[in-house]
Amino acid sequence: MKNIALFIKDFQKGTELSNHLVDMDIEITFSESIYDLPDHCEIGIIDLDEEKFSNQEFVDEVKKQSGITLIGYMDKVTKRLLDDYKSIGCDMILPKASIAKNIKKILIEMSK
């Protein structure tokens, strides 16, 4: 079973994502910092529109301290932001509208 940390403050999006993940028998933890990560956490999903989590220093710290796979999402993905977040540790960046809808496919692909 995978452990996934959700760096999400948006209640609606957090509920939507957590429902999909629980249906897949995945343990989730809502995290606010690197210190909230569960043991054996493999993946972090970050709301890059949230001021606290969109801070590039925060993303860089999570990646460097934990080494987990980071999936970020935002309302509008631009080339500049995509390049910036990838350079500091986001492994994948998706539009907000598709993250919950495609999370199962994404996790299956990542596990191959």
Side-chain angles (χ1 to χ4, degrees), residues 10 13 47 49 73-77 94-100:
D10 178 336
K13 185 55 74 176
D47 180 353
D49 289 327
Y73 69 86
M74 61 180 70
D75 275 329
K76 186 174 181 179
V77 179
L94 302 165
K96 183 177 187 174
S98 70
I99 185 75

Side-chain angles (χ1 to χ4, degrees), residues 41-89:
C41 185
E42 299 174 30
I43 297 172
I45 299 176
I46 301 178
D47 180 353
L48 296 172
D49 289 327
E50 174 59 45
E51 185 176 345
K52 178 178 181 175
F53 304 137
S54 66
N55 180 320
Q56 292 187 2
E57 291 158 3
F58 175 81
V59 175
D60 185 50
E61 178 187 11
V62 171
K63 185 64 172 190
K64 285 181 179 172
Q65 296 283 332
S66 67
I68 63 175
T69 300
L70 293 177
I71 301 170
Y73 69 86
M74 61 180 70
D75 275 329
K76 186 174 181 179
V77 179
T78 65
K79 172 85 168 109
R80 183 184 62 77
L81 288 173
L82 179 76
D83 291 344
D84 288 349
Y85 283 113
K86 282 200 169 207
S87 73
I88 58 168

